Amino acid sequence: MAVTKIHPIKSTLKKALDYITNPSKTDDKLYVSSFGCAVETADIEFEKTRLRAMNKGNNLAHHLIQAFEPGEVTPETAHEIGRQLADSILGGKYEYVLTTHIDKGHVHNHLIFCSVDFAEHKKYISNRKSYGFIRKTSDRLCKENGLSVLIPGADRGKHYAEWDAQRKGTSYKQKLKIAIDRLIPVSADLDDLLRRLEAEGYEIKRGKYISFRAPGQERFTRCKTLGESYTEEAIAERINGKVILKTPKPERTGVSLLIDIENCIKAQQSAGYERWAKIENLKRAARTMVFLDQNGIVRYTDLQQKIAELQDGQEQTAAALKTVESRLSDMALLIKHIETYRELRPLYDEYKKSRDKEKYLRGHESEIILFEAAAKSLKAAGVSGKLPDSAKLKADYQRLAAEKDRLYSEYGKLKKQLREYDAVKQNVDSILSPAQQREQEKTL
């Protein structure tokens, strides 16, 4: 499990970078890396990128922290997860410095990235949507690396003490909910359930709201604070086997998975829910058969072949998308270094011709550092002699960016289709009896 938080850096960027790259926290800088800039000159390069933006905003950079559960991950794995997170959320367009701290009881990553991208010189928009993408990406990477993941929304609105108590199995609220769920199927009505809770040691306080207090608990817990399914009305409805109706939802037109009634806890606890699930399954089965007919799927092998084709198409599109993203990142970096080199070359030539280089350096230290870093990067990229045309490179970048958007759209469509066909196949497998499954090679 990894917890994330992000905040802007409006001043003292150098101080923040010095803090996250502290040798005593990063095993003598073993767990320090960067992208699009040198660790030592990141603050200077960030500022140079910001100066090229029309609307740079007030933020110098953004600081993202990714903290892991104690003992759950090694520093090496944590750093790699941090790098993948940075590359995924920043798209190879923002300079960043990534470090992994190992001096505390839990391993955690610090990611500081420029507030403006060096490809199009647009500022990073930090809001609920962008943070949601960070959270989702972090969870995906944790899952891929065998780490635990927070359940979205499950702990919303809880104080830390309550969340920690539930995690350790000591939450009074969680134990009360388990007790109520266990007693609902055997209770005749709400009063009967309350009597059974009293027999288990709970103190019940009746009034405008029903409240409970377990042995050793300091304060009473009201029913309504447990959640929508634990209000007095909801508990009574559940005991009577009636479905708790919420805001009506529009009729579904797509294919949905059949409900596994035999293994559904809600169906076992509520006869009303079981009846609804059976009727809903008939509707979902009907929509499944309509889908097969509309898409010309007659044989089971046709369905398998279509799914295989969609999987191949999705894998090929994902590979092409990854290649395009890598090329875009490389091209954006090349354009950045070329523009920096061209802009600062006259100043660097003056520095070389200066009789008092030390004095000249004191007045133009940042510019000279940036020029030498750009020259070094261009040499490493194999660029020598005449520099490539920046205008042509930018035009190529825009064409490649358009291709990336097209591939993203295509990937999304394939993903949606594959999800739909997978649901259809699972429904067909559930509908077919063992005898029919032996005949599935013939027709559906």
Side-chain angles (χ1 to χ4, degrees):
M1 177 186 75
V3 177
T4 57
K5 63 179 180 179
I6 187 171
H7 62 266
I9 298 176
K10 297 182 179 294
S11 61
T12 63
L13 173 59
K14 184 67 167 64
K15 185 176 179 181
L17 288 166
D18 288 343
Y19 169 76
I20 71 167
T21 57
N22 187 330
S24 65
K25 296 176 178 293
T26 58
D27 195 6
D28 201 21
K29 294 194 174 184
L30 176 63
Y31 302 113
V32 175
S33 59
S34 64
F35 171 79
C37 62
V39 174
E40 297 76 14
T41 59
D43 59 322
I44 301 174
E45 296 188 60
F46 282 20
E47 182 58 27
K48 186 66 175 177
T49 299
R50 291 183 71 255
L51 288 173
R52 289 174 174 158
M54 294 292 291
N55 179 20
K56 61 177 72 67
N58 298 320
N59 299 327
L60 303 179
H62 295 276
H63 187 173
L64 173 64
I65 301 171
Q66 183 186 35
F68 299 90
E69 187 81 3
E72 193 176 41
V73 65
T74 64
E76 292 80 8
T77 300
H79 196 76
E80 177 59 21
I81 290 175
R83 186 191 62 77
Q84 292 178 21
L85 176 64
D87 291 343
S88 296
I89 64 175
L90 301 177
K93 298 193 298 182
Y94 294 81
E95 296 120 327
Y96 69 72
V97 175
L98 170 70
T99 70
T100 302
H101 285 192
I102 59 174
D103 60 319
K104 297 291 180 64
H106 62 285
V107 175
H108 56 283
N109 291 327
H110 289 272
L111 173 68
I112 293 181
F113 60 93
C114 185
S115 60
V116 171
D117 77 84
F118 58 75
E120 301 171 76
H121 304 116
K122 294 180 180 179
K123 69 176 181 178
Y124 179 85
I125 305 299
S126 182
N127 54 25
R128 184 175 294 182
K129 182 179 179 181
S130 63
Y131 180 71
F133 181 60
I134 291 172
R135 176 76 262 163
K136 183 179 178 181
T137 305
S138 177
D139 285 348
R140 174 178 61 79
L141 292 171
C142 284
K143 190 180 295 184
E144 290 175 358
N145 285 272
L147 307 183
S148 59
V149 175
L150 285 171
I151 301 173
D155 300 305
R156 189 175 296 152
K158 292 183 180 176
H159 294 292
Y160 174 79
E162 184 184 341
W163 172 83
D164 190 51
Q166 181 172 330
R167 179 175 67 87
K168 295 175 180 176
T170 58
S171 168
Y172 287 115
K173 283 188 177 181
Q174 185 66 13
K175 289 180 178 179
L176 176 57
K177 288 168 70 173
I178 292 172
I180 291 174
D181 290 340
R182 174 169 47 80
L183 294 174
I184 280 177
V186 296
S187 298
D189 51 32
L190 180 58
D191 287 335
D192 186 27
L193 182 136
L194 296 179
R195 286 193 294 271
R196 291 175 184 273
L197 284 171
E198 284 181 318
E200 293 193 4
Y202 279 93
E203 184 181 349
I204 312 274
K205 184 166 67 175
R206 290 172 171 82
K208 186 177 179 180
Y209 301 105
I210 297 176
S211 301
F212 307 88
R213 184 162 65 182
Q217 185 178 354
E218 183 179 348
R219 303 176 67 180
F220 279 87
T221 300
R222 286 182 179 178
C223 258
K224 67 174 188 176
T225 65
L226 298 175
E228 292 182 12
S229 299
Y230 297 91
T231 63
E232 290 91 330
E233 296 80 7
I235 292 173
E237 292 285 345
R238 290 170 63 187
I239 292 172
N240 292 331
K242 295 179 181 179
V243 179
I244 303 171
L245 297 177
K246 297 183 180 180
T247 305
K249 295 182 180 179
E251 186 71 20
R252 290 181 179 176
T253 55
V255 178
S256 302
L257 282 173
L258 296 178
I259 301 168
D260 185 3
I261 298 175
E262 290 184 5
N263 296 310
C264 179
I265 296 176
K266 288 182 70 176
Q268 294 171 9
Q269 292 179 342
S270 170
Y273 182 86
E274 183 181 3
R275 287 193 297 272
W276 172 85
K278 288 179 179 178
I279 295 172
E280 178 64 17
N281 273 351
L282 289 174
K283 294 179 181 178
R284 296 185 183 188
R287 287 197 292 267
T288 298
M289 300 314 292
V290 169
F291 179 92
L292 292 168
D293 183 60
Q294 290 177 341
N295 290 276
I297 306 295
V298 179
R299 298 176 181 275
Y300 191 82
T301 51
D302 295 339
L303 182 58
Q304 291 176 313
Q305 184 178 350
K306 181 64 177 179
I307 291 174
E309 290 173 358
L310 288 171
Q311 288 173 335
D312 289 342
Q314 188 182 36
E315 289 173 3
Q316 291 173 13
T317 305
L321 187 56
K322 190 173 182 180
T323 299
V324 168
E325 288 177 333
S326 178
R327 288 176 59 195
L328 278 170
S329 179
D330 291 343
M331 195 176 294
L333 272 176
L334 181 61
I335 293 171
K336 173 198 168 184
H337 295 318
I338 288 174
E339 289 184 342
T340 300
Y341 186 95
R342 280 202 174 108
E343 180 184 346
L344 300 179
R345 179 61 190 267
L347 184 145
Y348 190 76
D349 288 342
E350 287 183 14
Y351 163 67
K352 283 295 189 181
K353 295 174 183 177
S354 174
R355 292 182 178 179
D356 190 346
K357 289 184 171 56
E358 187 175 341
K359 180 180 178 182
Y360 196 95
L361 181 62
R362 286 198 299 270
H364 304 279
E365 184 177 9
S366 295
E367 292 88 344
I368 291 170
I369 289 173
L370 286 173
F371 176 84
E372 291 179 341
K376 183 179 179 180
S377 297
L378 288 173
K379 184 178 179 180
V383 178
S384 59
K386 186 178 179 180
L387 295 176
D389 185 356
S390 294
K392 184 178 182 303
L393 280 174
K394 289 180 179 179
D396 290 341
Y397 182 91
Q398 293 301 323
R399 282 193 292 270
L400 206 56
E403 174 65 8
K404 173 189 170 183
D405 292 340
R406 186 192 68 79
L407 287 170
Y408 257 122
S409 177
E410 182 181 339
Y411 182 83
K413 291 176 182 177
L414 288 169
K415 186 177 181 180
K416 182 179 178 182
Q417 279 185 287
L418 184 58
R419 187 165 55 241
E420 198 167 29
Y421 271 93
D422 278 337
V424 167
K425 184 178 181 299
Q426 289 184 57
N427 287 351
V428 169
D429 290 339
S430 298
I431 293 168
L432 292 176
S433 66
Q436 288 174 309
Q437 288 180 17
R438 288 193 294 269
E439 300 296 325
Q440 65 189 11
E441 293 296 330
K442 297 180 181 179
T443 58
L444 288 173

